[in-house]
Amino acid sequence: VINRRIRVAQEEIVRRQSQGLQVRPWQHRIQELEAVRREIAALATPEGLRGVPAEGSARRAQAG
């Protein structure tokens, strides 16, 4: 869904540029969607692959 929304926003930028309209809000939207996509990918990645040692996360859980 996010990739589709990014693609739609990119198409809208091309359309607006061809008409001489403002594109900055759409560029900002793409940046937000890409940030959300990165957050989802980080959450979906097993902790061992994120570069965080398992014992480090256990210590953080105890401290928190």
Side-chain angles (χ1 to χ4, degrees), residues 4 7 9-12 20 26 30 35 41 43-44 47 50 53 60 62 64:
R4 185 178 334 121
R7 192 170 43 252
Q10 290 169 336
E11 291 168 357
E12 183 65 16
W26 288 95
I30 290 172
L43 291 172
E47 205 167 313
R50 288 187 217 163
R60 281 195 306 274
Q62 290 172 349

Side-chain angles (χ1 to χ4, degrees), residues 1-14 30 33 37:
V1 172
I2 291 176
N3 288 337
R4 185 178 334 121
R5 290 184 180 178
I6 290 172
R7 192 170 43 252
V8 167
Q10 290 169 336
E11 291 168 357
E12 183 65 16
I13 286 174
V14 170
I30 290 172
L33 289 168
R37 182 172 58 186

Side-chain angles (χ1 to χ4, degrees), residues 2-49:
I2 291 176
N3 288 337
R4 185 178 334 121
R5 290 184 180 178
I6 290 172
R7 192 170 43 252
V8 167
Q10 290 169 336
E11 291 168 357
E12 183 65 16
I13 286 174
V14 170
R15 185 185 73 78
R16 288 177 155 270
Q17 283 176 333
S18 70
Q19 295 178 353
L21 299 173
Q22 186 179 20
V23 296
R24 183 64 191 138
W26 288 95
Q27 291 169 334
H28 182 68
R29 173 102 170 117
I30 290 172
Q31 290 173 345
E32 289 176 337
L33 289 168
E34 289 173 341
V36 169
R37 182 172 58 186
R38 282 190 300 274
E39 289 177 27
I40 291 170
L43 291 172
T45 303
E47 205 167 313
L49 296 177

